[in-house]
Amino acid sequence: MKASTQAAAWRPDSWQQKPAAQQPVYPDPDALASVLRQLGELPPLVSSWEVESLKQQLAEAGRGERFLLQGGDCSENFEDCQSGTIAAKLKILLQMSLVLVQGARKRVVRVGRFAGQYAKPRSADVETRGDVTLPVYRGDIVNRTGFDPHARTPDPTRLLRGYERAGLTVNFIRALIDGGFADLHHPEYWEMHFARPSPLAAEYQRMVRSITESLQFIEALTGGPIPGMNRVDFFTSHEGLHLHYEQAVTRQVPRREGWYNLGTHFPWIGNRTRALDGAHIEYFRGIRNPIAVKIGPPIQPEEVLALCDALNPANEPGRLTLITRFGLACVARELPPLVQAVQSRERRVLWVCDPMHGNTETTRTGIKTRRFERILEELETTFQILADAGAHPGGVHFELTGDNVTECLGGDCGLTEADLTRDYRSRVDPRLNYEQSLEMALRLARLLDQPAG
Ligand code: PEP
Ligand code: CO
């Protein structure tokens, strides 16, 4: 089908004509329809101005003028919608971005994996324990974790609860930022709390001190505050997995053409739902937001080019981000032909590395974890591959948290397998903790500070 015929046929619900992977089955379709109607009437969480501004910033990142930092939980829980948890996540992302600005010498685009990251793709539709088989847990926006029929039956009212919590989260983040949480005139806001003295903490504190001093110096010279130094832009993102939900938050706005997903700034398509003839590609191709697609093995260059054609037929800068997630074991073999294909056909994409999802392993005692050193090495390898092909290493995508959980191994804090059970909270994938996240940013800053060779 030609692109123009395809474009004419798109509607917010046209995905319903395609096979939709990873969707829950609701026992009561009328209850679902009623919830979706209510969702469709609620005010949006973000505005089309913000969405367009992010697209501009991502276009700049695609040209190598900015660097994207995207991070947050694998999956947000309803019960973690609390001020302390949200503020801690915002704080670590701000601290990481400060470090990255120093290292990359570029402005950083900050995007949280939050305010709507509630739906999870799973490897099976059902879970069996003994002789009981129940629907699998698909994230708090669908059902609950408990292994009983009541908890596991998809409940459409959770879509409303999720939207409301996303709204509460985004509201709190906006309030913190507007209230001065990211104000560089207050170095005390930027302090970090390490469990014990560490060379990394000292390196970070030196960095903050030098930024504060430079700011004071320039303000003394110019005789006043530099505009914009007291706040930053912050954007939201989540996997656009649950298509009824995404459709319900897809809106038209006055004086702009087309449809926007106003439930988040920057939705992405997961690695499991990127089938070219599938419902997710159909939904995503019609919205005006900047969008991302995760790509991991096995994927061929033709498939990546076909994704670019389907999702960004006009080759619009800032529209499409490719998030690579190959894992250290195969990135060096699999990624180079893809980057070369995209580069040689001059497809405008932003290359972002997710070094988490290809590096998940299970310990002998059955705990899902990831190793700090392998995560870092995938980043290094990916950036080198991109540089070799003449592409810009445009950003990073992490699963992380602002709390000192014990889910990933290694790093300067020396987390070992024995530590994992101490404070493992994630229900899905393991996250870098506060110290590991800041260390990752410092290591990444060094990497970006040196020309690839
Ligand atoms: C995720 O980001 O949590 C995820 C499931 O990733 P992927 O689609 O890359 O497997
Ligand atoms: Co994950």
Side-chain angles (χ1 to χ4, degrees):
M1 203 188 280
K2 288 220 293 288
S4 55
T5 353
Q6 256 188 12
W10 188 90
R11 288 192 326 270
D13 66 353
S14 56
W15 64 268
Q16 295 185 23
Q17 309 307 319
K18 306 269 180 172
Q22 300 281 345
Q23 304 302 294
V25 178
Y26 291 93
D28 181 351
D30 292 341
L32 174 65
S34 155
V35 159
L36 295 174
R37 257 192 318 275
Q38 293 174 60
L39 259 182
E41 282 163 10
L42 291 173
L45 305 184
V46 303
S47 74
S48 62
W49 291 281
E50 294 167 336
V51 168
E52 289 295 339
S53 153
L54 174 63
K55 204 193 279 179
Q56 285 308 318
Q57 296 191 23
L58 294 173
E60 290 168 25
R63 292 196 293 270
E65 296 158 12
R66 288 184 185 250
F67 190 78
L68 171 73
L69 170 65
Q70 184 175 20
D73 297 317
C74 179
S75 152
E76 291 176 285
N77 301 333
F78 284 3
E79 74 225 34
D80 286 343
C81 185
Q82 291 179 354
S83 55
T85 313
I86 298 168
K89 240 181 296 191
L90 187 63
K91 182 169 181 176
I92 183 61
L93 286 168
L94 286 170
Q95 290 180 327
M96 290 173 81
S97 74
L98 191 72
V99 170
L100 291 177
V101 169
Q102 284 271 95
R105 294 171 207 284
K106 287 174 189 172
R107 282 188 289 173
V108 169
V109 188
R110 302 167 192 84
V111 178
R113 250 182 95 107
F114 53 42
Q117 175 55 15
Y118 293 122
K120 293 310 298 172
R122 304 311 303 266
S123 46
D125 287 340
V126 291
E127 182 180 343
T128 301
R129 294 192 197 167
D131 48 14
V132 181
T133 297
L134 295 174
V136 75
Y137 169 67
R138 289 190 180 275
D140 274 7
I141 206 159
V142 174
N143 54 4
R144 288 179 286 129
T145 45
F147 195 73
D148 67 76
H150 188 61
R152 288 293 177 89
T153 303
D155 171 1
T157 63
R158 299 184 75 82
L159 295 168
L160 286 165
R161 302 294 85 80
Y163 191 71
E164 290 153 4
R165 277 178 169 76
L168 292 169
T169 305
V170 89
N171 177 61
F172 187 49
I173 286 166
R174 291 184 196 284
L176 284 173
I177 292 202
D178 289 342
F181 193 72
D183 188 346
L184 281 170
H185 298 92
H186 288 276
E188 70 277 14
Y189 296 175
W190 292 87
E191 262 163 31
M192 55 174 325
H193 302 286
F194 265 14
R196 64 213 139 61
S198 116
L200 283 166
E203 183 181 342
Y204 173 78
Q205 303 298 9
R206 263 198 311 279
M207 203 179 263
V208 173
R209 215 174 309 122
S210 113
I211 293 169
T212 316
E213 283 166 12
S214 312
L215 190 63
Q216 282 165 353
F217 174 72
I218 294 172
E219 291 187 343
L221 215 59
T222 58
I226 308 171
M229 289 311 280
N230 57 351
R231 69 177 311 286
V232 295
D233 282 342
F234 221 107
F235 299 98
T236 62
S237 69
H238 66 249
E239 178 172 350
L241 182 69
H242 192 303
L243 290 175
H244 278 299
Y245 178 85
E246 302 304 336
Q247 180 191 326
V249 301
T250 302
R251 311 280 166 86
Q252 283 179 301
V253 297
R255 291 175 293 282
R256 280 196 206 276
E257 281 189 20
W259 294 80
Y260 287 83
N261 182 319
L262 296 182
T264 188
H265 298 109
F266 188 23
W268 77 83
I269 305 174
N271 190 47
R272 290 173 205 252
T273 48
R274 58 171 164 73
L276 278 163
D277 56 355
H280 290 82
I281 299 292
E282 174 59 21
Y283 169 75
F284 271 76
R285 79 181 173 87
I287 55 171
R288 304 295 291 251
N289 302 56
I291 59 173
V293 56
K294 296 271 206 101
I295 55 172
I299 185 165
Q300 298 304 314
E302 306 75 63
E303 210 176 334
V304 177
L305 292 171
L307 283 169
C308 294
D309 289 344
L311 296 171
N312 191 16
N315 212 13
E316 179 192 3
R319 158 73 175 168
L320 183 62
T321 295
L322 297 178
I323 305 177
T324 64
R325 35 87 78 225
F326 284 85
L328 185 59
C330 64
V331 66
R333 188 179 63 244
E334 307 255 345
L335 184 58
L338 310 183
V339 182
Q340 280 148 19
V342 171
Q343 285 294 103
S344 66
R345 307 288 173 86
E346 297 182 11
R347 293 298 193 277
R348 292 202 189 93
V349 301
L350 171 63
W351 290 102
V352 169
C353 177
D354 164 0
M356 311 297 292
H357 284 88
N359 292 312
T360 314
E361 57 185 275
T362 307
T363 65
R364 277 170 314 236
T365 51
I367 304 173
K368 230 178 170 189
T369 190
R370 292 163 171 156
R371 289 173 200 273
F372 183 95
E373 284 68 27
R374 291 182 73 80
I375 295 169
L376 182 62
E377 207 177 325
E378 179 168 352
L379 278 178
E380 289 166 351
T381 312
T382 301
F383 285 2
Q384 188 64 54
I385 291 168
L386 290 167
D388 288 347
H392 297 292
V396 282
H397 181 117
F398 292 116
E399 286 187 341
L400 54 79
T401 170
D403 300 318
N404 259 328
V405 299
T406 60
E407 298 172 7
C408 288
L409 298 170
D412 195 53
C413 60
L415 240 129
T416 64
E417 275 191 43
D419 294 316
L420 290 180
T421 48
R422 192 152 40 81
D423 198 1
Y424 195 107
R425 295 186 216 162
S426 176
R427 290 179 190 160
V428 262
D429 291 338
R431 303 159 295 175
L432 295 172
N433 67 21
Y434 180 64
E435 296 188 14
Q436 289 168 327
S437 300
L438 200 80
E439 182 182 356
M440 189 59 76
L442 288 162
R443 304 287 292 267
L444 186 57
R446 279 185 216 153
L447 188 66
L448 294 169
D449 202 14
Q450 71 202 16

